[in-house]
PDB file of all heavy atoms in Angstrom:
ATOM      1  N   LYS A 584     -27.090  67.445   8.623  1.00 95.00           N
ATOM      2  CA  LYS A 584     -27.279  67.007   9.941  1.00 95.00           C
ATOM      3  C   LYS A 584     -26.695  65.678  10.140  1.00 95.00           C
ATOM      4  O   LYS A 584     -26.867  64.709   9.390  1.00 95.00           O
ATOM      5  CB  LYS A 584     -28.861  66.904  10.341  1.00 95.00           C
ATOM      6  CG  LYS A 584     -29.167  66.631  11.719  1.00 95.00           C
ATOM      7  CD  LYS A 584     -30.588  66.472  12.227  1.00 95.00           C
ATOM      8  CE  LYS A 584     -31.605  66.783  11.215  1.00 95.00           C
ATOM      9  NZ  LYS A 584     -32.973  66.500  11.783  1.00 95.00           N
ATOM     10  N   ILE A 585     -25.964  65.507  11.331  1.00 95.00           N
ATOM     11  CA  ILE A 585     -25.304  64.301  11.603  1.00 95.00           C
ATOM     12  C   ILE A 585     -25.662  63.602  12.912  1.00 95.00           C
ATOM     13  O   ILE A 585     -25.539  62.477  13.097  1.00 95.00           O
ATOM     14  CB  ILE A 585     -23.775  64.442  11.487  1.00 95.00           C
ATOM     15  CG1 ILE A 585     -23.205  65.503  12.422  1.00 95.00           C
ATOM     16  CG2 ILE A 585     -23.229  64.687  10.118  1.00 95.00           C
ATOM     17  CD1 ILE A 585     -21.633  65.552  12.587  1.00 95.00           C
ATOM     18  N   PHE A 586     -26.212  64.367  13.764  1.00 95.00           N
ATOM     19  CA  PHE A 586     -26.731  63.877  15.070  1.00 95.00           C
ATOM     20  C   PHE A 586     -28.026  64.512  15.395  1.00 95.00           C
ATOM     21  O   PHE A 586     -28.130  65.795  15.239  1.00 95.00           O
ATOM     22  CB  PHE A 586     -25.689  63.963  16.229  1.00 95.00           C
ATOM     23  CG  PHE A 586     -24.493  62.977  16.000  1.00 95.00           C
ATOM     24  CD1 PHE A 586     -23.361  63.476  15.763  1.00 95.00           C
ATOM     25  CD2 PHE A 586     -24.714  61.681  16.150  1.00 95.00           C
ATOM     26  CE1 PHE A 586     -22.196  62.681  15.618  1.00 95.00           C
ATOM     27  CE2 PHE A 586     -23.618  60.900  15.970  1.00 95.00           C
ATOM     28  CZ  PHE A 586     -22.294  61.383  15.698  1.00 95.00           C
ATOM     29  N   GLN A 587     -28.839  63.805  16.026  1.00 93.00           N
ATOM     30  CA  GLN A 587     -30.159  64.390  16.575  1.00 93.00           C
ATOM     31  C   GLN A 587     -30.484  63.679  17.902  1.00 93.00           C
ATOM     32  O   GLN A 587     -30.269  62.497  18.045  1.00 93.00           O
ATOM     33  CB  GLN A 587     -31.223  64.200  15.492  1.00 93.00           C
ATOM     34  CG  GLN A 587     -32.622  64.778  16.022  1.00 93.00           C
ATOM     35  CD  GLN A 587     -33.523  64.815  14.917  1.00 93.00           C
ATOM     36  OE1 GLN A 587     -33.295  64.796  13.675  1.00 93.00           O
ATOM     37  NE2 GLN A 587     -34.975  64.813  15.211  1.00 93.00           N
ATOM     38  N   GLY A 588     -30.981  64.312  18.816  1.00 92.00           N
ATOM     39  CA  GLY A 588     -31.313  63.765  20.106  1.00 92.00           C
ATOM     40  C   GLY A 588     -31.705  64.827  21.046  1.00 92.00           C
ATOM     41  O   GLY A 588     -31.988  65.975  20.822  1.00 92.00           O
ATOM     42  N   GLU A 589     -31.605  64.379  22.379  1.00 92.00           N
ATOM     43  CA  GLU A 589     -31.777  65.387  23.462  1.00 92.00           C
ATOM     44  C   GLU A 589     -30.535  65.010  24.413  1.00 92.00           C
ATOM     45  O   GLU A 589     -30.516  64.052  25.120  1.00 92.00           O
ATOM     46  CB  GLU A 589     -33.068  65.131  24.348  1.00 92.00           C
ATOM     47  CG  GLU A 589     -34.250  65.512  23.480  1.00 92.00           C
ATOM     48  CD  GLU A 589     -35.492  65.167  24.332  1.00 92.00           C
ATOM     49  OE1 GLU A 589     -35.602  65.576  25.492  1.00 92.00           O
ATOM     50  OE2 GLU A 589     -36.393  64.629  23.779  1.00 92.00           O
ATOM     51  N   PHE A 590     -29.566  65.882  24.246  1.00 89.00           N
ATOM     52  CA  PHE A 590     -28.371  65.629  24.999  1.00 89.00           C
ATOM     53  C   PHE A 590     -28.422  66.586  26.168  1.00 89.00           C
ATOM     54  O   PHE A 590     -28.418  67.929  25.955  1.00 89.00           O
ATOM     55  CB  PHE A 590     -26.982  65.747  24.061  1.00 89.00           C
ATOM     56  CG  PHE A 590     -26.954  64.915  22.917  1.00 89.00           C
ATOM     57  CD1 PHE A 590     -27.325  65.338  21.722  1.00 89.00           C
ATOM     58  CD2 PHE A 590     -26.810  63.439  23.193  1.00 89.00           C
ATOM     59  CE1 PHE A 590     -27.359  64.378  20.657  1.00 89.00           C
ATOM     60  CE2 PHE A 590     -26.788  62.674  22.065  1.00 89.00           C
ATOM     61  CZ  PHE A 590     -27.126  63.128  20.829  1.00 89.00           C
ATOM     62  N   LEU A 591     -28.492  66.060  27.453  1.00 81.00           N
ATOM     63  CA  LEU A 591     -28.836  66.846  28.485  1.00 81.00           C
ATOM     64  C   LEU A 591     -27.691  67.560  29.172  1.00 81.00           C
ATOM     65  O   LEU A 591     -26.562  67.051  29.238  1.00 81.00           O
ATOM     66  CB  LEU A 591     -29.486  65.971  29.639  1.00 81.00           C
ATOM     67  CG  LEU A 591     -30.502  65.123  29.083  1.00 81.00           C
ATOM     68  CD1 LEU A 591     -31.012  64.016  30.154  1.00 81.00           C
ATOM     69  CD2 LEU A 591     -31.737  65.842  28.622  1.00 81.00           C
ATOM     70  N   LEU A 592     -27.634  68.986  29.249  1.00 85.00           N
ATOM     71  CA  LEU A 592     -26.670  69.780  29.590  1.00 85.00           C
ATOM     72  C   LEU A 592     -26.660  70.072  31.074  1.00 85.00           C
ATOM     73  O   LEU A 592     -27.705  70.291  31.643  1.00 85.00           O
ATOM     74  CB  LEU A 592     -26.643  71.158  28.827  1.00 85.00           C
ATOM     75  CG  LEU A 592     -26.744  70.940  27.313  1.00 85.00           C
ATOM     76  CD1 LEU A 592     -26.546  72.255  26.553  1.00 85.00           C
ATOM     77  CD2 LEU A 592     -25.776  69.949  26.729  1.00 85.00           C
ATOM     78  N   SER A 593     -25.635  70.163  31.784  1.00 79.00           N
ATOM     79  CA  SER A 593     -25.539  70.633  33.134  1.00 79.00           C
ATOM     80  C   SER A 593     -25.271  72.069  33.216  1.00 79.00           C
ATOM     81  O   SER A 593     -25.276  72.764  32.161  1.00 79.00           O
ATOM     82  CB  SER A 593     -24.363  69.897  33.814  1.00 79.00           C
ATOM     83  OG  SER A 593     -23.067  70.262  33.319  1.00 79.00           O
ATOM     84  N   GLU A 594     -25.073  72.632  34.343  1.00 82.00           N
ATOM     85  CA  GLU A 594     -24.827  74.133  34.434  1.00 82.00           C
ATOM     86  C   GLU A 594     -23.424  74.518  33.955  1.00 82.00           C
ATOM     87  O   GLU A 594     -23.180  75.717  33.801  1.00 82.00           O
ATOM     88  CB  GLU A 594     -25.114  74.540  36.028  1.00 82.00           C
ATOM     89  CG  GLU A 594     -26.460  74.504  36.421  1.00 82.00           C
ATOM     90  CD  GLU A 594     -26.732  74.722  37.894  1.00 82.00           C
ATOM     91  OE1 GLU A 594     -25.884  75.343  38.422  1.00 82.00           O
ATOM     92  OE2 GLU A 594     -27.842  74.510  38.464  1.00 82.00           O
ATOM     93  N   LEU A 595     -22.624  73.535  33.937  1.00 85.00           N
ATOM     94  CA  LEU A 595     -21.219  73.852  33.530  1.00 85.00           C
ATOM     95  C   LEU A 595     -21.149  74.085  32.060  1.00 85.00           C
ATOM     96  O   LEU A 595     -22.016  73.659  31.242  1.00 85.00           O
ATOM     97  CB  LEU A 595     -20.372  72.605  33.878  1.00 85.00           C
ATOM     98  CG  LEU A 595     -20.355  72.331  35.347  1.00 85.00           C
ATOM     99  CD1 LEU A 595     -19.988  70.734  35.631  1.00 85.00           C
ATOM    100  CD2 LEU A 595     -19.284  73.179  35.984  1.00 85.00           C
ATOM    101  N   PRO A 596     -20.085  74.785  31.584  1.00 92.00           N
ATOM    102  CA  PRO A 596     -19.892  74.948  30.109  1.00 92.00           C
ATOM    103  C   PRO A 596     -19.812  73.576  29.586  1.00 92.00           C
ATOM    104  O   PRO A 596     -19.280  72.785  30.197  1.00 92.00           O
ATOM    105  CB  PRO A 596     -18.745  75.732  30.001  1.00 92.00           C
ATOM    106  CG  PRO A 596     -18.459  76.425  31.318  1.00 92.00           C
ATOM    107  CD  PRO A 596     -19.112  75.559  32.379  1.00 92.00           C
TER     108      PRO A 596
END
Side-chain angles (χ1 to χ4, degrees):
K584 186 181 352 178
I585 56 174
F586 290 111
Q587 180 172 334
E589 290 177 47
F590 302 103
L591 311 174
L592 312 183
S593 66
E594 293 178 11
L595 300 154

